Amino acid sequence: MDTDPKQPDFSTLAVRAGHRRTGEGEHAEAIFTTSSFVFQSAAEAAARFSGDRPGNVYSRFTNPTVAAFQDRLAALEGGESCVATASGMSAILAICMSQLKSGDHIVASSSLFGSTVSLFNTYLQRFGVQISYVALGDYDAWEQACTAHTRMLFLETPSNPLTELADIQILSALARRKDLLLVVDNCFCTPALQRPLALGADIVVHSATKFLDGQGRCVGGAVVGDRKRVGQDLFGFLRTAGPSLSPFNAWVFLKGLETLEIRMQAHCRSALGLAQWLVQQPLIAHVYYPGLADHPQHALARRQQSGFGGIVSFDLDGGREAAWDLIDHCRLLSITANLGDTKSTITHPATTTHGRMTQAERDQAGIGEGLVRISVGLESLADIQADLEHGVRH
Ligand SMILES: *Cc1c(COP(=O)(O)O)cnc(C)c1O
């Protein structure tokens, strides 16, 4: 007879996983704002420092509030281990520092967060790590870019800002065949919509700053994966180098995870409604959203994600002038490059997030002067549309 107890569902884990109640009996999770922890004896201190006995030592690498966030996110991503970091960028740095060495090679998607590209090109290359970039959905290009020194494949799906997808299972098969690490930045979907580890990724990285927080309050990051690579190797880097998450920020993210699923469902619902409305507007040349039936990877998005996400981009006829005019007429939407907030945000990628690329690089990436990106928040869809009305009709 099958006596395995049922595993809790996602929404239950999001609220309950990782919580260790203290002797005070608190119902909400406590914030442990302490830099160090006290031992019963010199022998116990020695055992905790050596790792012979589990327990807290020092908040650079052991803190109960940070641990609660790590355990909850690990449960949601379906990973063995999670290490939280001071930012999304330090999470990516920690992956590279713990998994790569001089002489190694990364194959990465050409549609990556700008600072990730800067980290790879400006800093990693200086330490002898080479990077090749390929089009996200060109699987032959991924394979052809691999050399004898390739160690890692790195991607975001869906991409920013054009919402292109890659099939994680296809890239996972390539990674298995060539004994490479497949790293997926799951910032846009979060585990509420996409679970890369279950699709064959080895490591998932997050900017917790975005949807995990969900209210634009704190900067932080996290890495999820197996016990050896993340729980030991990456944890070892964090313990030594110290890009650690503060207990307060960990607590904000921990509580953010409790509402993640219902927030993501609301973001998805409004984003789809907005995308369908934008398609009908006279000045809009093209709308990029995986939930639209004419999105080139709509079928993959249906298969790989349980929702289409909260980011919608579109091209305006009239180039930069029309795009800036639309943005400047917004009274509700915030002109800011952050995303994943309850507040809708509007951005002109060509002159902000992608402004440091050359014109040729932008052309190749499809980032035109008329492109606008919206991170659809939790305001009413009617109010968001009313705010955009001027710019899409006149
Ligand atoms: C914001 C972002 C990052 C970097 O995260 P920070 O928390 O800002 O350091 C990495 N990847 C993606 C996809 C992002 O959107």
Side-chain angles (χ1 to χ4, degrees):
M1 218 171 77
D2 184 5
T3 52
D4 278 358
K6 176 187 173 300
Q7 283 299 308
D9 290 327
F10 187 94
S11 36
T12 306
L13 293 171
V15 174
R16 298 281 181 176
H19 185 192
R20 302 170 195 77
R21 193 162 287 141
T22 75
E24 299 294 341
E26 74 283 0
H27 190 211
E29 297 79 349
I31 311 178
F32 288 88
T33 52
T34 177
S35 42
S36 72
F37 296 84
V38 177
F39 312 109
Q40 299 296 329
S41 65
E44 195 202 354
R48 290 238 206 124
F49 262 85
S50 69
D52 286 347
R53 204 175 299 164
N56 301 306
V57 176
Y58 184 60
S59 284
R60 188 187 329 115
F61 54 97
T62 49
N63 177 277
T65 313
V66 175
F69 167 61
Q70 291 174 158
D71 291 352
R72 189 167 293 177
L73 184 59
L76 296 184
E77 287 286 4
E80 289 174 352
S81 288
C82 173
V83 172
T85 56
S87 66
M89 288 318 304
S90 56
I92 297 170
L93 175 68
I95 292 171
C96 296
M97 293 300 283
S98 62
Q99 313 296 319
L100 301 174
K101 61 181 188 322
S102 177
D104 285 348
H105 175 243
I106 303 173
V107 181
S109 159
S110 53
S111 309
L112 286 185
F113 186 66
S115 298
T116 307
V117 175
S118 300
L119 174 68
F120 288 173
N121 292 355
T122 309
Y123 297 100
L124 284 191
Q125 297 223 29
R126 229 199 257 166
F127 293 89
V129 173
Q130 300 302 316
I131 298 100
S132 302
Y133 295 96
V134 296
L136 179 61
D138 185 347
Y139 307 112
D140 290 338
W142 283 91
E143 176 145 16
Q144 279 154 20
C146 290
T147 72
H149 300 288
T150 306
R151 271 299 290 142
M152 183 185 286
L153 309 179
F154 191 104
L155 67 140
E156 298 165 15
T157 176
S159 72
N160 177 24
L162 297 180
T163 71
E164 297 161 306
L165 278 74
D167 189 323
I168 295 171
Q169 284 178 309
I170 291 179
L171 291 176
S172 159
L174 173 65
R176 289 295 78 74
R177 214 160 56 239
K178 294 187 175 287
D179 194 23
L180 312 173
L181 283 179
L182 177 61
V183 180
V184 176
D185 184 331
N186 201 23
C187 169
F188 268 42
C189 274
T190 83
L193 303 183
Q194 170 173 277
R195 308 216 308 160
L197 298 176
L199 298 167
D202 299 293
I203 292 178
V204 167
V205 59
H206 275 287
S207 167
T209 316
K210 314 293 168 53
F211 289 105
L212 301 191
D213 175 339
Q215 297 180 53
R217 298 163 293 190
C218 294
V219 172
V223 181
V224 188
D226 65 87
R227 216 163 272 129
K228 167 78 174 76
R229 291 191 192 100
V230 174
Q232 292 175 25
D233 299 343
L234 194 145
F235 172 76
F237 172 76
L238 178 103
R239 174 179 182 145
T240 304
S244 318
L245 185 63
S246 83
F248 179 79
N249 289 7
W251 182 82
V252 170
F253 299 143
L254 179 67
K255 302 307 279 181
L257 290 179
E258 295 184 5
T259 56
L260 179 66
E261 191 178 31
I262 55 171
R263 281 188 287 107
M264 291 311 291
Q265 286 165 355
H267 286 299
C268 290
R269 213 165 36 240
S270 289
L272 180 62
L274 184 67
Q276 288 167 339
W277 177 80
L278 286 167
V279 164
Q280 295 165 4
Q281 304 310 311
L283 298 183
I284 305 271
H286 191 79
V287 180
Y288 304 87
Y289 187 67
L292 295 175
D294 70 349
H295 185 283
Q297 293 144 319
H298 178 64
L300 173 61
R302 277 189 174 281
R303 209 164 57 237
Q304 182 160 277
Q305 304 174 195
S306 60
F308 300 115
I311 312 295
V312 178
S313 297
F314 52 94
D315 283 319
L316 276 167
D317 289 331
R320 181 190 298 197
E321 201 184 325
W324 281 22
D325 181 63
L326 170 112
I327 291 170
D328 288 343
H329 274 86
C330 288
R331 293 291 167 265
L332 184 69
L333 273 59
S334 315
I335 308 174
T336 172
N338 196 26
L339 60 90
D341 199 315
T342 49
K343 297 179 174 71
S344 295
T345 64
I346 189 162
T347 313
H348 183 243
T351 52
T352 60
T353 51
H354 295 69
R356 279 151 68 198
M357 294 166 84
T358 64
Q359 183 66 47
E361 286 170 333
R362 272 197 299 277
D363 289 346
Q364 207 195 351
I367 316 275
E369 289 287 331
L371 184 72
V372 173
R373 185 196 75 190
I374 294 177
S375 170
V376 183
L378 302 184
E379 306 95 339
S380 94
L381 177 57
D383 287 336
I384 295 170
Q385 287 170 356
D387 209 39
L388 295 168
E389 192 112 357
H390 171 92
V392 297
R393 293 232 170 119
H394 302 278

